[in-house]
Amino acid sequence: MKFSCEKETLLNLLNIASRAVTGKSSMPLLEGLLLAADADTLTITGYDLSMGIRTTAQVDVVEPGRIVLNSRLFCEIVRKLPQDVVYLETDDKLMTTIKCGRSVFNLMANEADEYPALADVASDKGLSLPQPILKSMIAQTIFSVSDNESKPIHTGCLFEIEGSRLNVVAVDGYRLSVRRETVEGVPGDMKFVVPGASLREIERILGDDDDIVEIFPDSKNILFRIGGTTLITRLIDGEFLNYRAAIPKEFEHEVSADRQELIQCIERVSLIVSEKLKNPIRFHFDGSYVQMSCVTAIGKSYDECPFDGSIENLEIGFNNRYILEALRAAGDEQVKLQLKGALNPMIISPMEGDKYTYLVLPVRLKAND
């Protein structure tokens, strides 16, 4: 193998593909990246047997070939190289020489023949949508994904396609996030659950322009095609929560609030809350104000925030992080708050439409909270 390209081109490929490389594996090859040079294209692949990322770019290929290089070391070398053209050459004994400016490294590569192939995913039935839309759908739900491996199905996001609607849903037992979009050219109704870890990597790869991302699910795996990058990951088997049944249909109270003002107020009251001191925030709705207070071992805090509407004497406790993450994800200037009682969840939704729904379960308050 022999090729050359700009350092930034190579580094960009490495930064993307290395996200799928496992730190330590019983298969040493999986700690490496597969480099394949052919014609005028370099393809770099990372794979941990559950998620694989393959990304390509045009480079100047003198001699085609395939090798595997240790991911951590190769990435670190390229990252430290000067801003110049990188020349990489491998001899018939797999000794790989990397040159850039005055820097020269010699690394022993591995044969590529034993590197496992990524799963084959049929690409005859899928959907496509602008990258910023998928990026926002992931960002506005991923924080609610469970990290409890005893129920694996909830460690991912449910993708549900019904007609021309795409719903992305995440739940962790304490809160529920739903993000909805109208999409075109859908192949028919379908449901699948994508691992949260894979979605976090997809979110990082997705761009902010209007380029299209293509999504192809099959019975066991799913393929995301983002420009010159392909990510393939296993789907999670199981029965996802019936999230529609979990969202209350009727409420006693419905008010609206300035989202940023509400966030700042909760943040101030939360200053005495920590990982060790996880006491809930007490929300006391009284007229057109919500009085917030918290008591922990290090002190007390109090603040209040106005809202549009009126709720008389309702006291309810919430985990500060769950409320804050939902409000930050919402994005709108004004949000709608819907409540029923002290033991019922609060719903955060937009003033118009149903683009998102955030449900947060209350925390039972004690006398000294």
Side-chain angles (χ1 to χ4, degrees), residues 174-177 246-248 345-348 357-361:
Y174 306 100
R175 67 266 181 82
L176 167 71
S177 298
I247 301 171
M346 177 161 74
I347 301 293
I348 301 169
T357 300
Y358 297 116
L359 177 153
V360 184
L361 290 175

Side-chain angles (χ1 to χ4, degrees), residues 183-201:
V183 293
E184 297 177 1
V186 292
D189 294 358
M190 59 174 72
K191 290 183 182 181
F192 47 87
V193 179
V194 185
S198 300
L199 288 172
R200 288 185 180 93
E201 299 306 340

Side-chain angles (χ1 to χ4, degrees), residues 26-37:
S26 55
M27 287 179 65
L29 273 183
L30 293 182
E31 296 175 26
L33 289 164
L34 172 64
L35 279 69

Side-chain angles (χ1 to χ4, degrees), residues 299-344:
K300 299 179 182 180
S301 59
Y302 173 88
D303 210 329
E304 51 186 56
C305 182
F307 57 82
D308 295 327
S310 181
I311 301 177
E312 296 302 326
N313 201 29
L314 170 63
E315 198 158 70
I316 185 167
F318 288 107
N319 177 298
N320 67 310
R321 182 167 66 88
Y322 297 161
I323 289 285
L324 281 171
E325 286 179 342
L327 287 169
R328 287 171 184 149
D332 295 335
E333 285 186 21
Q334 290 279 125
V335 290
K336 188 195 302 179
L337 309 178
Q338 294 170 302
L339 299 119
K340 192 170 184 180
L343 301 178
N344 302 101

